[in-house]
Amino acid sequence: MTRNTENSGNTGNAGNTGSTATLLDITEVSTAFVTAFGRQPDGVWSAPGRVNVIGEHTDYNDGFVLPMALPQGVHAAVARTESSRIRMLSLQEPDSPVTVDLDAAPGEVTGWSAYLAGVVWSLRAAGYAVGGVDIAVDGNVPAGAGLSSSAALECAVAYALNDLFDLRIEASELARLAQRAENDFVGMPCGVMDQMASMTCTAGHLLFLDTRSMVTEQVPFDPTEQGRTLLVIDTRAPHRLVDGEYAERRRTCEDAAAALGVTALRDVSAEDLPAVLSRLDDDVQRRRVRHVVTENTRVTEVVRKLRDGDLDGIGPLLTASHVSLRDDYEVTVGELDTAVDAALDAGALGARMTGGGFGGCVIALVPSDRADSVVDAVRTAFDKAGYSEPRAFTAVPAQGARRVR
Ligand code: GLA
C-alpha cells in the first residue's frame, strides 16, 4: 500500500511535520471496482493502519499494548457474488488482479491478495458461511514501514464480510480471525495488537489493550491541546530478516515461559523479575524476559500518567522502552537508534522505535514548536550516516474499522 503517502498541509521550515493527508478517495475505489467487475460494489469499508505508543513485543506474551489508529488506511469495495471464487483487485497493482477459489488453502496465495483471501479462509475455517466475493482495495499506509498496512487490509475485508454475510461477529473476535489469517494463511506469527488496533481504535484515543483478557480501554490522547506533537518518523530502513527474527523472538519467549513454568511471560511480575532471571541459564533468554516484563510495567505506567494528565511524564518511559528494545530485545537497527538519539538531542521529551523493529518507524513526543527542528536534526543525522532520507508526519489518533459507503 504505497499511494498517497506524502503529507499535505505541511507547515514550518522543514515542511514535513504537518498533519497527515487522508486522501483516500471512496469514489476511486468504487470506480475501479465497477471497471474491473462490471457492477457496483455492495458497499465500501475502511480500516486504518496503526502506530504503537508503547508495549512492544508484549502482545504474543499475553501482555499490554497501547496503539492508536492512523488516518492512513485501506478502503475495500466489496460485493457478494454467486460464484465460488474470490476476485481481487488492488489499486496499487491495477494490472495484476487475482482470482482464487473460495477453498484456497494456506500456501496457495501469496503477495497482497493473501491478506484478503486469508480473511475469507479464516472466517470459513471458523465455520462462518462466507461465499464468493469481488473485492477492490486501495490504501495509503506506507508498506514496510511497520505501520500495519497488512492489518488494515485484513480488517477492512473482515469488517466488510461480517456486514455482507450478516455474521454478527463482535469486533475483538473479528480481530482474532484477522490475526489467524495472518498467522496461518500468510504465515507471519504476529500477535493480535495490530488487528485489534485497526478494528477497535477510536478517534482521539489510544487503545489500552490487555491481550490476555482482551479487555480494552480507550485512553483520551490529544497532545496538541498541551502544545505537544507525536511525530512518526519513517526511517525507510529496509526490513531485514524481519519474519525470521520475529518468529525467533517469539519462540525464545515461549521457551522461557515454559522453562519458568508459566503460561506466558505476562505471568512474571516486576517484583519477581530478579528471582525469575536467576532461574534462567541462558543470557539471551534472560534479556528477552527482562524486556517483556519491564515493558509491560512501562505500558501500565504510561496509561497511569495519561489518566493523570501528565503527558510529558511519559517521555522517559518511551525512551526507556527504546533502550530495552535495543539492548535486551535486540530488534533495533542503526537507523532506528540514530533517529531516536537525534530526536532526543534536539529536544524530544521521549522517543522510541515502534512496531516489530528491524527498520520501520520511530515515534517522538516533542514540544510542538520544536517539531520541525527535531525532524531537521534526524534528517541531518541520517545524511551524515549515509542513510536514506527519512519521512515524518504528525500522528493524530483516528477511527478504527467502519463502513464508509
Ligand atoms: C508486529 C506484530 C505485532 C507486535 C509487534 C511488536 O507489528 O504484528 O503483533 O508483536 O510487531 O510489538
Side-chain angles (χ1 to χ4, degrees), residues 39-397:
R39 54 172 289 204
Q40 291 290 334
D42 292 335
V44 181
W45 289 260
S46 187
R50 65 95 189 94
V51 70
N52 190 21
V53 170
I54 195 161
E56 223 63 86
H57 289 277
T58 47
D59 63 351
Y60 51 82
N61 289 299
D62 280 3
F64 303 108
V65 294
L66 192 66
M68 60 181 246
L70 291 171
Q72 296 96 324
V74 165
H75 282 343
V78 189
R80 293 176 59 154
T81 67
E82 295 306 317
S83 77
S84 57
R85 288 174 319 212
I86 314 165
R87 291 194 297 179
M88 296 168 279
L89 175 78
S90 163
L91 271 71
Q92 278 63 53
E93 310 220 10
D95 299 329
S96 316
V98 177
T99 299
V100 302
D101 211 75
L102 260 183
D103 293 326
E108 288 176 13
V109 190
T110 56
W112 61 270
S113 58
Y115 297 98
L116 280 50
V119 169
V120 174
W121 170 85
S122 176
L123 288 167
R124 285 167 60 87
Y128 293 106
V130 173
V133 275
D134 290 339
I135 309 173
V137 289
D138 187 15
N140 63 356
V141 186
L147 299 175
S148 293
S149 55
S150 51
L153 273 173
E154 292 154 5
C155 290
V157 171
Y159 204 102
L161 298 177
N162 191 38
D163 275 359
L164 282 177
F165 292 91
D166 197 21
L167 304 176
R168 297 164 196 236
I169 305 169
E170 63 141 337
S172 60
E173 177 59 12
L174 215 45
R176 278 256 182 245
L177 291 163
Q179 179 203 11
R180 193 164 309 149
E182 185 146 349
N183 289 171
D184 298 339
F185 198 87
V186 177
M188 159 66 181
C190 62
V192 78
M193 166 170 71
D194 305 343
Q195 291 78 11
M196 272 299 280
S198 186
M199 203 61 93
T200 70
C201 277
T202 58
H205 296 85
L206 306 180
L207 177 77
F208 179 33
L209 166 67
D210 177 339
T211 62
R212 170 169 280 172
S213 66
M214 296 296 268
V215 169
T216 62
E217 177 188 333
Q218 302 286 343
V219 182
F221 187 69
D222 184 5
T224 322
E225 208 179 35
Q226 298 178 48
R228 303 293 182 243
T229 295
L230 187 71
L231 286 176
V232 178
I233 303 167
D234 180 0
T235 66
R236 300 171 75 197
H239 278 244
R240 301 162 189 133
L241 303 168
V242 197
D243 293 359
E245 292 280 354
Y246 184 94
E248 194 209 292
R249 294 299 180 286
R250 187 173 177 151
R251 210 172 320 114
T252 303
C253 290
E254 286 163 0
D255 289 349
L260 294 167
V262 294
T263 307
L265 294 183
R266 152 70 176 277
D267 297 307
V268 179
S269 70
E271 299 77 60
D272 291 345
L273 185 60
V276 159
L277 292 181
S278 71
R279 287 170 51 203
L280 293 171
D281 297 330
D282 181 38
D283 183 53
V284 171
Q285 258 187 14
R286 268 200 301 268
R287 286 185 289 124
R288 305 297 189 249
V289 171
R290 187 165 56 196
H291 166 72
V292 173
V293 175
T294 58
E295 183 79 349
N296 275 328
T297 304
R298 283 186 288 270
V299 179
T300 53
E301 278 182 28
V302 164
V303 171
R304 195 161 41 78
K305 286 190 186 296
L306 291 175
R307 284 195 199 117
D308 291 348
D310 181 12
L311 178 59
D312 288 1
I314 78 171
L317 292 160
L318 301 183
T319 305
S321 168
H322 184 82
V323 170
S324 179
L325 288 157
R326 183 190 67 201
D327 298 344
D328 276 349
Y329 220 65
E330 297 179 287
V331 291
T332 70
V333 290
E335 288 89 334
L336 294 168
D337 297 334
T338 300
V340 165
D341 291 346
L344 292 171
D345 285 348
L349 301 159
R352 60 180 291 273
M353 59 150 272
T354 181
F358 303 104
C361 293
V362 305
I363 54 168
L365 180 67
V366 301
S368 300
D369 57 6
R370 293 216 199 144
D372 283 343
S373 51
V374 167
V375 175
D376 274 344
V378 175
R379 271 225 167 115
T380 305
F382 269 44
D383 191 40
K384 218 183 250 171
Y387 298 147
S388 309
E389 196 181 343
R391 269 195 286 247
F393 61 89
T394 300
V396 178

Side-chain angles (χ1 to χ4, degrees), residues 13-33:
N13 59 358
N16 48 18
T17 56
S19 54
T20 52
T22 320
L23 296 178
L24 268 189
D25 183 358
I26 299 172
T27 307
E28 218 169 301
V29 73
S30 301
T31 305
F33 184 100

